[in-house]
Amino acid sequence: MRRLLSIPFALALTVSAALADPVSGGKLDLIVQPEPPSVMIGITTNGPALLVGGNIYESLLRYDENLKPMPSLAKSWDISEDGLTYTFHLQDGVKWHDGKPMTSADVMFSVEDFLMKLQPRHRNLMSHVAKVEAPDDHTVVFTLKEPFEAFIRGFAFYTMPIVPKHIYEGTDYQTNPANEKPIGTGPYKFAEWKRGSYIKLVKNEDYYLPGKPYIDELYYHVIPDAASRAVAYETGQVSVLPGGSVENFDIPRLSKLDNTCTTEKGWEYFAPLSWLWLNNRKPPMDNVKFRQAVMFALDRNFAKDVLWNGYGKVATGPISSKLPFYDDVGPSYPHDPAKAKALLKEMGYDGKPLKLLPLPYGETWQRWAEAVKQNLAEVGIPVEIESTDVAGWNQKTSQWDYDIAFTYLYQNGDPAIGVDRNYKSSQIAKGNPFNNVEGYSNPEVDKLFDEAAVAFPAAKRQELYDKVQVKLREDVPVAWLLELGFPTTYRCNVENLISTASGLPNSLRDAWIKK
């Protein structure tokens, strides 16, 4: 802020004039798809639940597009020099939506009881914590067992939502009536859910940030098919199309409509990375030369430019370039069918046909499966596309009943939180489609990931993550595709729509509608 004092006075006036003051009022119509089973995000953490529930519940921190922490329920925080003690100072005057005050007791209940019982991701994070203390109503202190630099990036609204102790203590958390009419501290309050039609939230008049939120009502519309969602935007029924709510091939057309803006911002924390699961347990996927051949066979620039309309970025390896500790180190895999054929010849691949399982998330993914089938056929790998629904995809991948399968996963702000789960031997477990589904096991990689998670300071973590990125790019346990771009399409008079690295679910307290 102090740097603004050095701006020439005339320029400062120009900048000031360009930044219009937010105005209050109005309603915002958005798409949510598919309809979530619940918006109680301490229990249900799929994308649609987070889209709505992120404006009802909050955590201690938010994150900017560079993943730097910003205040949320914590107004400030201190980290000890040895990296072991994290002290959070809570905001003043925070109330639950039922009017009860929110205190450190709610934070303690959430992190030590509620989330420990319901969220594996939270349990993994808390495995690094020796104790949690609340010296007073406005202070919470986490003491770690060893330095864990990733910890400061574990306080997003969906990794650690704070829930009301007075509502949940002593109840069956899964069946508590508040799950149907959630009570949080967020900028918007639950108002109504008309199943199959819309979910309505209303402005929290007692929000602890004076003047916020600006918009009076949020309507999340449930519209079953992508074409109808596009029409709803064209006709003005909705003003915001969250990323992924219409088919990619519709975005260029919609973006040319009057008063229409698009942005890829708001996915930096999630950092969705797509790849092909290659079942390392089965031949020929158990041969590193075959896996490398698959990488050389894939025309990933075609996928980005044609299937995803230029959105996103070709992935170089296991860590998204949006995350800290990403580095472009190790072997690279440009589209090179000749190299793919040479590797297949070296290994003595016999042309055995394989099955390819697409993601059942719409036409774009089906087209991508067709493109991959063609890429592999060109180098002599015949594949048959085996389509299924979401339940079938979950079943086949989690039970390892596949050869090659599409997926994409969130990386959750730090490699120690959202990346190593896909490559460590300890994360090989049936029944989960989001862990080490490929069955890759390398003691050297396990050791590097374990050391990198707790290395201190960050520079030491970088050295170790560079080594692990090189090794994984040599071994190709999965075939990395794209860092996905999910553009949000919206009316340009909706100002400041995306203000955090978590996008729409965690930004609408700052948004306002220009009259």
Side-chain angles (χ1 to χ4, degrees):
M1 284 292 187
R2 291 176 185 170
R3 290 181 185 170
L4 289 177
L5 298 177
S6 65
I7 296 176
F9 182 66
L11 178 58
L13 285 178
T14 302
V15 171
S16 176
L19 300 174
D21 291 331
V23 295
S24 295
K27 75 179 177 78
L28 191 64
D29 293 281
L30 310 91
I31 289 290
V32 61
Q33 68 85 27
E35 185 169 20
S38 166
V39 294
M40 200 296 151
I41 62 173
I43 297 173
T44 304
T45 59
N46 64 15
L50 299 181
L51 179 65
V52 182
N55 288 293
I56 298 172
Y57 295 97
E58 298 174 296
S59 187
L60 297 182
L61 300 176
R62 307 161 91 212
Y63 299 89
D64 69 14
E65 63 183 31
N66 298 311
L67 302 186
K68 301 296 184 188
M70 301 188 294
S72 188
L73 286 175
K75 63 183 177 182
S76 63
W77 54 95
D78 309 295
I79 304 173
S80 62
E81 286 189 14
D82 61 8
L84 292 176
T85 307
Y86 289 66
T87 303
F88 292 90
H89 307 282
L90 303 182
Q91 300 272 9
D92 299 316
V94 180
K95 293 180 182 178
W96 294 104
H97 293 160
D98 63 1
K100 303 282 188 183
M102 193 283 291
T103 71
S104 58
D106 296 296
V107 179
M108 294 281 286
F109 170 75
S110 300
V111 304
E112 290 198 305
D113 188 327
F114 188 93
L115 295 172
M116 288 294 285
K117 293 175 179 174
L118 294 168
Q119 292 298 338
R121 187 190 300 116
H122 180 77
R123 286 197 295 273
N124 290 340
L125 192 67
M126 291 296 287
S127 69
H128 297 274
V129 177
K131 61 180 178 178
V132 188
E133 299 170 289
D136 58 55
D137 282 353
H138 285 82
T139 309
V140 180
V141 182
F142 294 82
T143 304
L144 306 190
K145 298 172 183 175
E146 69 271 306
F148 183 56
E149 195 263 347
F151 194 62
I152 194 62
R153 287 181 285 279
F155 293 86
F157 76 98
Y158 80 102
T159 51
M160 200 182 289
I162 305 305
V163 303
K165 179 180 179 180
H166 68 280
I167 296 291
Y168 283 96
E169 188 176 36
T171 73
D172 180 339
Y173 302 154
Q174 296 276 12
T175 61
N176 191 300
N179 297 341
E180 297 300 314
K181 296 183 177 180
I183 295 170
T185 59
Y188 289 92
K189 300 164 69 169
F190 178 85
E192 182 186 6
W193 190 337
K194 189 173 181 181
R195 297 277 174 180
S197 183
Y198 62 81
I199 302 169
K200 177 184 176 182
L201 307 186
V202 296
K203 177 177 184 174
N204 178 7
E205 299 284 357
D206 290 326
Y207 196 52
Y208 54 88
L209 295 179
K212 292 187 178 183
Y214 302 109
I215 298 170
D216 291 337
E217 299 174 322
L218 306 178
Y219 281 85
Y220 296 86
H221 295 264
V222 178
I223 300 176
D225 68 281
S228 297
R229 293 191 286 271
V231 170
Y233 182 83
E234 290 178 271
T235 60
Q237 180 186 355
V238 300
S239 300
V240 179
L241 294 171
S245 55
V246 295
E247 295 288 2
N248 272 334
F249 50 76
D250 264 338
I251 294 173
R253 178 177 61 82
L254 294 173
S255 66
K256 292 174 184 170
L257 297 175
D258 288 344
N259 188 29
T260 295
C261 292
T262 63
T263 180
E264 287 189 71
K265 287 186 175 183
W267 292 91
E268 295 84 3
Y269 188 90
F270 299 114
L273 189 70
S274 62
W275 61 77
L276 296 174
W277 292 125
L278 303 174
N279 195 336
N280 289 206
R281 306 166 188 85
K282 294 181 176 182
M285 285 74 66
D286 60 348
N287 190 312
V288 65
K289 289 183 180 180
F290 179 86
R291 301 194 299 267
Q292 291 171 344
V294 170
M295 285 295 292
F296 282 121
L298 296 172
D299 189 347
R300 298 178 294 162
N301 278 306
F302 171 84
K304 176 177 73 73
D305 295 338
V306 178
L307 302 177
W308 289 85
N309 295 297
Y311 292 111
K313 181 179 179 181
V314 172
T316 60
I319 300 178
S320 167
S321 62
K322 292 182 171 65
L323 258 62
F325 311 110
Y326 165 81
D327 209 346
D328 189 0
V329 289
S332 59
Y333 297 92
H335 180 48
D336 192 333
K339 278 190 178 179
K341 290 176 181 177
L343 284 164
L344 293 172
K345 185 176 180 180
E346 281 178 37
M347 66 169 281
Y349 173 58
D350 60 4
K352 174 187 175 183
L354 302 171
K355 290 187 176 180
L356 174 65
L357 189 66
L359 262 177
Y361 286 174
E363 186 64 27
T364 297
W365 292 93
Q366 192 64 37
R367 292 183 181 186
W368 203 354
E370 295 285 351
V372 165
K373 177 181 178 178
Q374 183 176 336
N375 288 162
L376 296 181
E378 286 169 355
V379 301
I381 303 173
V383 299
E384 174 190 340
I385 294 175
E386 184 182 22
S387 296
T388 184
D389 58 13
V390 173
W393 181 92
N394 284 336
Q395 173 73 12
K396 283 184 171 292
T397 53
S398 64
Q399 296 301 315
W400 310 339
D401 179 21
Y402 73 96
D403 296 327
I404 303 174
F406 277 86
T407 193
Y408 76 89
L409 279 87
Y410 291 165
Q411 302 215 324
N412 299 327
D414 192 282
I417 300 174
V419 176
D420 62 14
R421 61 185 171 138
N422 301 124
Y423 305 101
K424 287 171 63 173
S425 304
S426 61
Q427 296 296 309
I428 299 174
K430 273 190 174 180
N432 184 340
F434 308 117
N435 58 8
N436 185 343
V437 169
E438 77 274 12
Y440 171 76
S441 181
N442 185 323
E444 179 188 353
V445 168
D446 293 343
K447 186 170 183 286
L448 285 169
F449 269 128
D450 288 342
E451 290 177 352
V454 298
F456 190 80
K460 291 185 178 178
R461 296 188 72 201
Q462 185 69 64
E463 292 175 15
L464 293 163
Y465 280 125
D466 279 355
K467 291 180 181 178
V468 86
Q469 287 172 93
V470 169
K471 185 59 182 167
L472 287 172
R473 283 166 66 161
E474 290 171 351
D475 287 355
V476 192
V478 302
W480 300 287
L481 297 171
L482 299 178
E483 298 177 16
L484 295 176
F486 289 120
T488 300
T489 303
Y490 63 101
R491 305 295 178 197
C492 297
N493 63 320
V494 183
E495 300 277 350
N496 207 23
L497 183 65
I498 307 290
S499 55
T500 74
S502 301
L504 285 174
N506 199 216
S507 295
L508 293 185
R509 78 178 200 188
D510 303 318
W512 56 283
I513 300 171
K514 193 172 182 179
K515 305 299 183 188

